[in-house]
Amino acid sequence: MKADQFQAPDYYNLDELLSDEHKMVRDAAREWVKREVSPIIEEAAQKAEFPKQLIKGLAEIGAFGPYIPEEYGGAGLDQISYGLIMQEIERGDSGVRSTASVQSSLVMYPIFKYGTEEQKKKYLPKLASGEMMGCFGLTEPDHGSNPGGMTTNFKDKGDYYLLNGAKMWISNATFADIAIVWAKDEEGRIHGLIVERGMEGFTTPETHNKWSLRASATGELVFNNVKVPKENLMPEKSGLGAPLGCLDSARYGIAWGAIGAAMDCYDTALRYAKEREQFGKPIASFQLQQKKLAEMITEITKAQLLAWRLGVMRNEGTATSAQISMAKRNNVAMAINIAREARQILGGMGITGEYSIMRHSMNLESVITYEGTHDIHLLITGLDITGIPAFQ
Ligand SMILES: Cc1cc2nc3c(=O)[nH]c(=O)nc-3n(C[C@H](O)[C@H](O)[C@H](O)COP(=O)(O)OP(=O)(O)OC[C@H]3O[C@@H](n4cnc5c(N)ncnc54)[C@H](O)[C@@H]3O)c2cc1C
């Protein structure tokens, strides 16, 4: 892969909206990605392997639980810093950002929000340091966009809960030490359970042959009469709102992360267009190529403003789930469109692993589908503005 020459676009001087701490956190993540991720990520993606050697560094830049309080091992940062870290990691690769998102928003967040004090003390510091890794099991083979229909269930056996069922498409499944599993009790109410690797009857087969998020490990979670200790149930929230609360946090991070992937594609295409000559001139001098590049920077700038404003509202505690849906949907679509256009600017070179664009493009095909598909987020906006659900 080509040396990482990334220069971040900031067309509207958005840096002026950031505090010194935001910039320090962002710059540390940016440097780390350049040093540790860029040199190895293409090979990891080609081999379809999650680069586990990045776990320690991810923890050091605060990517595991950025906004979890320091008393539990988190970085105690605000929502803008969290977003900026996700942006920088996804600038490197969406798969690596997925690992960080799952660990922070889908494993640490539910333990922090819905767990007991004992659970917080037992798991959070180890998850923050990367000593322990987690995954999040909501999606099932027959229930994706409609997770409320899940059939994974547990029965109260007096001394323990007996868990049965299966989850699929689970990021980090193959190496996670713990899984946050959403399952129904005997009354059909959804609860979160902390299932540990090694519990009898719990297996995590890998999902092979992906063309997308190849540097992220994806797998199934299979529960065959797993005896889960009663103290592993997270008691503070139940119902579908509990997993959806985690998804709000993760989707917010994705809204920022997608900007990182888009920035990388734009920056690569701009540099290439200025250097590559055809018909005796740089291809950047042709109007058709300028149109592509001008539209890219316009869309990136709009997405940056959307994410920043959402971050301010998240800090104030006023951002709604529907507002988060809008940003996730818009920014991921923006990024995937930019990746496709940027790929064309590189001509044949665009399809090779010499450049990051094709990898970003393929990765974003998962990002536009997971954590609520593009269409489902549109229906959430539709419901919010009309008051009428159009899901069924
Ligand atoms: C690489 C990867 C990693 C993932 N990681 C995780 C993870 O860590 N944990 C986890 O729990 N899940 C994970 N997922 C699962 C992901 O969240 C689901 O794939 C997603 O929610 C969509 O579900 P589905 O694939 O079953 O598609 P479906 O729900 O079957 O949807 C198929 C199509 O139908 C459309 N559709 C569905 N319902 C409606 C409707 N009412 N109206 C209009 N259109 C509709 C959808 O928009 C979509 O286009 C991951 C997925 C991928 C690909």
Side-chain angles (χ1 to χ4, degrees):
M1 194 178 155
K2 289 248 172 198
D4 186 350
Q5 297 175 283
F6 177 68
Q7 286 185 333
D10 184 13
Y11 201 71
Y12 260 40
N13 304 331
L14 283 153
D15 263 23
E16 289 176 14
L17 298 174
L18 305 179
S19 68
D20 289 345
E21 181 176 76
H22 294 149
K23 284 185 263 193
M24 199 180 73
V25 167
R26 186 223 25 222
D27 293 347
R30 186 169 288 170
E31 277 312 303
W32 178 79
V33 167
K34 210 164 227 191
R35 202 174 60 243
E36 304 291 336
V37 180
S38 298
I40 58 109
I41 195 64
E42 178 61 29
E43 194 182 338
Q46 292 279 0
K47 287 186 180 164
E49 281 173 7
F50 170 67
K52 283 196 187 152
Q53 69 271 30
L54 297 182
I55 288 176
K56 192 164 169 284
L58 282 166
E60 282 166 6
I61 61 165
F64 295 157
Y67 52 82
I68 299 289
E70 285 169 295
E71 62 171 309
Y72 296 115
L77 297 168
D78 76 350
Q79 290 290 312
I80 304 252
S81 288
Y82 162 44
L84 288 164
I85 294 173
M86 295 300 121
Q87 170 188 286
E88 295 307 315
I89 299 174
E90 191 146 1
R91 207 279 296 172
D93 189 77
S94 306
V96 179
R97 198 270 306 139
S98 299
T99 289
S101 286
V102 169
Q103 183 88 342
S104 296
S105 294
L106 302 182
V107 179
M108 295 178 72
Y109 177 87
I111 294 174
F112 177 63
K113 279 283 180 190
Y114 316 142
T116 62
E117 195 53 38
E118 291 69 38
Q119 290 168 345
K120 290 183 210 181
K121 288 199 178 113
K122 180 175 176 190
Y123 297 110
L124 291 178
K126 287 185 180 168
L127 290 162
S129 69
E131 189 186 329
M132 187 178 259
M133 295 299 291
C135 67
F136 174 90
L138 180 65
T139 306
E140 299 189 350
D142 293 331
H143 300 96
S145 299
N146 175 26
M150 69 174 66
T151 57
T152 298
N153 66 88
F154 62 96
K155 292 191 169 54
D156 190 336
K157 291 289 179 184
D159 294 344
Y160 56 85
Y161 296 121
L162 195 66
L163 178 66
N164 278 291
K167 302 286 178 180
M168 82 179 286
W169 295 118
I170 308 304
S171 305
N172 299 358
T174 59
F175 59 84
D177 303 289
I178 61 168
I180 303 295
V181 178
W182 301 96
K184 284 181 177 165
D185 66 14
E186 283 148 285
E187 279 77 50
R189 189 150 182 89
I190 295 170
H191 297 265
L193 298 160
I194 305 170
V195 178
E196 298 191 10
R197 185 173 296 284
M199 287 182 179
E200 210 178 320
F202 173 41
T203 50
T204 59
E206 184 163 4
T207 303
H208 294 289
N209 300 334
K210 291 180 300 167
W211 285 113
S212 176
L213 286 193
R214 287 173 63 82
S216 164
T218 314
E220 295 166 48
L221 307 177
V222 182
F223 315 104
N224 187 6
N225 287 325
V226 181
K227 289 180 182 172
V228 181
K230 287 204 150 169
E231 67 262 24
N232 284 29
L233 183 128
M234 293 183 291
E236 296 301 329
K237 190 159 177 165
S238 62
L240 192 58
L244 293 186
C246 309
L247 293 178
D248 268 358
S249 175
R251 288 166 178 170
Y252 166 73
I254 293 172
W256 280 92
I259 297 171
M263 282 175 158
D264 198 48
C265 294
Y266 164 77
D267 179 61
T268 304
L270 178 62
R271 189 172 307 108
Y272 188 89
K274 290 200 270 193
E275 287 169 4
R276 173 76 174 167
E277 292 194 359
Q278 287 295 290
F279 299 94
K281 291 184 199 166
I283 58 171
S285 64
F286 301 125
Q287 285 187 1
L288 287 174
Q289 305 313 315
Q290 287 194 6
K291 177 175 186 290
K292 286 189 173 66
L293 292 164
E295 286 177 350
M296 283 183 205
I297 191 62
T298 307
E299 291 306 315
I300 288 172
T301 304
K302 284 153 66 179
Q304 286 170 325
L305 285 164
L306 199 61
W308 178 80
R309 175 65 192 147
L310 190 61
V312 170
M313 292 193 292
R314 293 265 301 167
N315 279 341
E316 290 167 352
T318 59
T320 65
S321 300
Q323 287 168 331
I324 296 168
S325 279
M326 181 185 281
K328 190 270 183 184
R329 180 176 186 274
N330 181 79
N331 289 10
V332 178
M334 172 281 297
I336 206 165
N337 290 337
I338 285 179
R340 288 168 182 161
E341 293 285 297
R343 213 287 305 145
Q344 291 190 59
I345 291 180
L346 268 70
M349 286 311 292
I351 70 149
T352 71
E354 283 291 294
Y355 296 89
S356 55
I357 297 176
M358 192 73 192
R359 180 167 43 79
H360 282 307
S361 184
M362 295 194 302
N363 282 342
L364 289 163
E365 293 291 342
S366 287
V367 182
I368 204 164
T369 288
Y370 72 21
E371 308 262 359
T373 68
H374 190 66
D375 287 342
I376 291 293
H377 286 299
L378 180 100
L379 295 178
I380 292 171
T381 305
L383 167 61
D384 198 44
I385 57 176
T386 65
I388 307 166
F391 296 92
Q392 297 174 353

